Amino acid sequence: MQRILVIDDEAIFREATTFALQRKGFETLEAADGVEGAEIARRALPDLIICDVNMERMDGYALLEQL
């Protein structure tokens, strides 16, 4: 099963995206910001990351550089 990490600081968007992906049969992981997302990505090694660009603490561009 393919694993997708969804990173978004807006809970409603993150949850809606996660719900839609789960309905299509994907395993999903969630993170509320880039810092948390980086930690989860390193630990879980997802097949795909869907990430918001504008977030507090660490934006999507900084996350991309870190990963």
Side-chain angles (χ1 to χ4, degrees):
M1 178 180 292
Q2 293 181 324
R3 183 180 304 155
I4 300 175
L5 172 58
V6 179
I7 307 169
D8 198 318
D9 58 344
E10 294 287 333
I12 190 76
F13 295 120
R14 185 178 65 248
E15 292 166 4
T17 302
T18 299
F19 178 75
L21 291 167
Q22 288 173 344
R23 288 192 50 144
K24 292 294 183 180
F26 294 100
E27 178 184 346
T28 59
L29 304 165
E30 295 183 46
D33 60 43
V35 174
E36 181 183 3
E39 293 171 7
I40 292 172
R42 285 189 190 102
R43 189 174 61 244
L45 300 175
D47 298 295
L48 177 69
I49 298 173
I50 299 174
C51 182
D52 186 11
V53 174
N54 298 313
M55 296 181 289
E56 300 278 328
R57 293 180 62 192
M58 181 190 300
D59 66 21
Y61 297 116
L63 174 65
L64 177 61
E65 284 183 31
Q66 248 196 31
L67 294 177

